Amino acid sequence: MARRIQYDSAAQVLTVEDVAAQCRVEVEDLQAALVEQVIIPGVTAQAEAKTGAAIRPAVYEEEWPESYGSGHALDVGQADTVLAIQRVEPDGSMTELQPPPPLRLERGQRESFLHFPQGRPSGRLVIRYHAGADLAAYPGVRQWLLMQAATVHEFRETMVVGTILAELPSHFTDSLLAEIQVPPRF
């Protein structure tokens, strides 16, 4: 499983102005700190958890056992750049592969696949990469974020507790889709 190392500091998926427009209120009528520090990060985290894709640009790191061959999918979708590849040595130390092996990152609509055209380096690898959804290419994702942010803002008294954002209960609506839901495939 990949772990997020850090978000791009300047990259935000939504602004307070975006949320104000979606809520049909003036920016001055919003609690800007609540929107910036709780609502936007909260709905972004919800989208990332639901999709398995990086929504806000960030750096991720994941370990590949030797059984992962060339062409294996990265854990986080929307990867766009491989930053470094390290090998885990028998003593647990890490060695950065220098020069980096030739590679090709195939970015599909949902998944990104890492190919090593001259063969995968041996051993356990630690792959560090950058990922983030291109919201201009996927305007529906941006609209989902805006709709969720507006809902959270409208019902903030019942949804926001401290700095933790809780999703509205979806048991009833999710059960309406149960008959056609495709089971997960591994």
Side-chain angles (χ1 to χ4, degrees), residues 8-73:
D8 287 357
S9 59
Q12 292 292 335
V13 293
L14 299 175
T15 65
V16 173
E17 292 78 16
D18 295 333
V19 175
Q22 183 71 23
C23 293
R24 296 171 190 85
V25 299
E26 296 297 323
V27 175
E28 299 79 32
D29 295 336
L30 289 178
Q31 295 173 303
L34 175 69
V35 172
E36 285 178 331
Q37 297 169 13
V38 177
I39 294 176
I40 293 173
V43 299
T44 303
Q46 284 178 339
E48 289 176 339
K50 283 183 177 293
T51 64
I55 304 298
R56 181 176 172 192
V59 174
Y60 293 86
E61 190 173 84
E62 68 180 82
E63 189 171 312
W64 277 26
E66 189 129 24
S67 62
Y68 287 9
S70 178
H72 192 275

Side-chain angles (χ1 to χ4, degrees), residues 78 107-110 132-144:
Q78 303 300 308
R107 185 174 180 174
Q109 180 177 343
R110 293 183 174 87
D134 179 357
L135 298 183
Y138 300 107
V141 173
R142 186 173 189 280
Q143 190 56 47
W144 186 93

Side-chain angles (χ1 to χ4, degrees), residues 16-185:
V16 173
E17 292 78 16
D18 295 333
V19 175
Q22 183 71 23
C23 293
R24 296 171 190 85
V25 299
E26 296 297 323
V27 175
E28 299 79 32
D29 295 336
L30 289 178
Q31 295 173 303
L34 175 69
V35 172
E36 285 178 331
Q37 297 169 13
V38 177
I39 294 176
I40 293 173
V43 299
T44 303
Q46 284 178 339
E48 289 176 339
K50 283 183 177 293
T51 64
I55 304 298
R56 181 176 172 192
V59 174
Y60 293 86
E61 190 173 84
E62 68 180 82
E63 189 171 312
W64 277 26
E66 189 129 24
S67 62
Y68 287 9
S70 178
H72 192 275
L74 294 168
D75 286 342
V76 176
Q78 303 300 308
D80 53 34
T81 308
V82 174
L83 303 172
I85 299 177
Q86 297 178 314
R87 182 184 350 258
V88 179
E89 300 299 340
D91 66 359
S93 64
M94 307 285 270
T95 303
E96 187 155 350
L97 300 182
Q98 291 294 343
L103 58 88
R104 180 175 59 87
L105 184 62
E106 177 188 343
R107 185 174 180 174
Q109 180 177 343
R110 293 183 174 87
E111 294 181 287
S112 299
F113 302 91
L114 183 56
H115 298 273
F116 295 96
Q118 295 178 358
R120 179 198 185 281
S122 63
R124 283 185 8 218
L125 301 177
V126 175
I127 317 268
R128 185 175 282 221
Y129 55 95
H130 182 270
D134 179 357
L135 298 183
Y138 300 107
V141 173
R142 186 173 189 280
Q143 190 56 47
W144 186 93
L145 291 166
L146 286 168
M147 291 169 64
Q148 291 295 101
T151 300
V152 171
H153 180 266
E154 181 66 25
F155 300 104
R156 60 194 172 275
E157 287 80 14
T158 59
M159 293 184 67
V160 177
V161 179
T163 59
I164 303 297
L165 182 63
E167 186 178 14
L168 286 173
S170 59
H171 304 301
F172 175 73
T173 55
D174 286 353
S175 68
L176 297 174
L177 300 174
E179 291 181 314
I180 62 166
Q181 186 174 3
V182 177
R185 293 185 178 95

